Amino acid sequence: MSTRAGSSSEDAVFLVVRTRSILACILHWVLFLSVVTLVITGFYISYPVYYFGQGEAYQAFAMANMRSYHFIAAAVLMTVLFGRFYLAFTPSCNKDIKQFLPTPKNIVNALKLAYFFATGRGEHGHYRFINPLGGLGIFMMSVLMAFQVLSGFLLYLPAENPDSIFVTAAFSITNMLGGLQIVRLLHHTAMYGLIFVVVIHVYMQIWKNIMFTESDISSIIGGYKIFPYSEIGHFADSYGLALDEKPPPIEEMEGVSTPVNKPSG
């Protein structure tokens, strides 16, 4: 399993290592459910292809209900994004804000990982928390989500009080973008871009989970990943030891990890 040359029987020992807090895991899945809700309701708002309810039109508020669900999901999404952004500066999420940003170092390391995943060659760095390729993907999703929220509010300008200072400012942004129709087009385009990035993200997590037995999927559920003992002291992120340091003795790891048997096969 280890990619480090000269590894010994240490590779037969795997350790279960805490990588995320339970709060981070909960926020991840709340965000996921809000995005799914926004996509489903957004499709209906754009293409109302079905009608439900009985009696007169005022008794079947299909579009009103969908818009209500859309707004609720958007409010949840904004709350989670702001909350996770705040936590990225705190010890509860390992102060991982730098691992999401498109810094030169993260871009270079992301390209190295992408090359390894695509060809099986090159350097495969092990990251305890967030690898740079995943971090840049999360950054892209966050930018798309933020734009979705902004453009979504702009689309509701005609229904708002035109005397409000916020509406006046929003109209200026709308006119700068080319009008409501262009905003609507950008809103839909950003949605398809977000769907694309999410699909790639899910595919990569499943693929890595199968190929490298690091439990990427279970880590976002329970907060733990599995690493070979020989890699514990060589995490490539800023929280690991330097590459020329030796892994700590297994006895010292017992307080923060749990040894498990190497998976068969």
Side-chain angles (χ1 to χ4, degrees):
M1 172 58 199
S2 173
T3 60
R4 194 173 301 282
S7 59
S8 61
S9 59
E10 292 173 346
D11 284 340
V13 178
F14 278 59
L15 297 175
V16 179
V17 180
R18 166 69 75 179
T19 60
R20 293 179 176 88
S21 66
I22 295 300
L23 178 58
C25 295
I26 293 174
L27 291 178
H28 174 276
W29 290 109
V30 172
L31 185 66
F32 171 77
L33 292 175
S34 67
V35 169
V36 171
T37 303
L38 285 165
V39 169
I40 294 175
T41 56
F43 269 120
Y44 179 83
I45 293 171
S46 298
Y47 310 102
V49 295
Y50 75 93
Y51 177 93
F52 67 90
Q54 297 179 353
E56 299 296 330
Y58 70 88
Q59 295 174 308
F61 297 100
M63 181 61 73
N65 287 336
M66 287 298 174
R67 287 186 173 182
S68 177
Y69 303 149
H70 201 72
F71 275 126
I72 293 172
V76 172
L77 182 141
M78 288 188 295
T79 302
V80 173
L81 282 181
F82 283 124
R84 185 60 179 86
F85 180 74
Y86 167 76
L87 291 174
F89 294 91
T90 67
S92 63
C93 285
N94 309 298
K95 298 182 179 179
D96 55 7
I97 183 63
K98 292 183 178 180
Q99 300 193 25
F100 296 111
L101 301 179
T103 61
K105 178 181 178 180
N106 285 343
I107 292 174
V108 170
N109 289 332
L111 291 175
K112 290 180 180 179
L113 270 181
Y115 177 76
F116 175 82
F117 291 151
T119 66
R121 302 175 181 177
E123 179 182 349
H124 178 207
H126 291 267
Y127 295 82
R128 177 178 179 183
F129 299 105
I130 301 171
N131 71 62
L133 186 60
L136 293 183
I138 294 172
F139 177 81
M140 291 177 58
M141 285 188 281
S142 299
V143 171
L144 288 170
M145 290 176 190
F147 179 79
Q148 287 288 82
V149 171
L150 173 62
S151 58
F153 278 118
L154 294 179
L155 290 175
Y156 277 86
L157 281 179
E160 299 300 325
N161 179 10
D163 296 328
S164 170
I165 186 174
F166 298 105
V167 173
T168 302
F171 264 118
S172 299
I173 298 175
T174 302
N175 293 332
M176 181 179 63
L177 294 174
L180 282 176
Q181 188 58 37
I182 299 299
V183 172
R184 181 176 288 104
L185 177 62
L186 293 175
H187 190 75
H188 291 187
T189 303
M191 180 197 68
Y192 287 115
L194 181 60
I195 292 174
F196 174 78
V197 176
V198 169
V199 169
I200 295 299
H201 172 70
V202 173
Y203 170 78
M204 288 301 300
Q205 297 308 311
I206 295 174
W207 183 79
K208 289 193 300 177
N209 203 74
I210 295 173
M211 295 298 295
F212 303 113
T213 63
E214 291 184 0
S215 303
D216 286 85
I217 296 178
S218 62
S219 71
I220 202 60
I221 298 175
Y224 290 90
K225 291 180 71 173
I226 300 175
F227 292 98
Y229 167 71
S230 59
E231 298 292 345
I232 293 297
H234 300 280
F235 291 129
D237 54 22
S238 59
Y239 303 100
L241 301 175
L243 291 179
D244 58 349
E245 292 186 74
K246 295 181 179 180
I250 294 180
E251 292 76 12
E252 294 184 13
M253 296 298 299
E254 290 181 351
V256 294
S257 60
T258 304
V260 297
N261 295 327
K262 183 177 181 180
S264 60

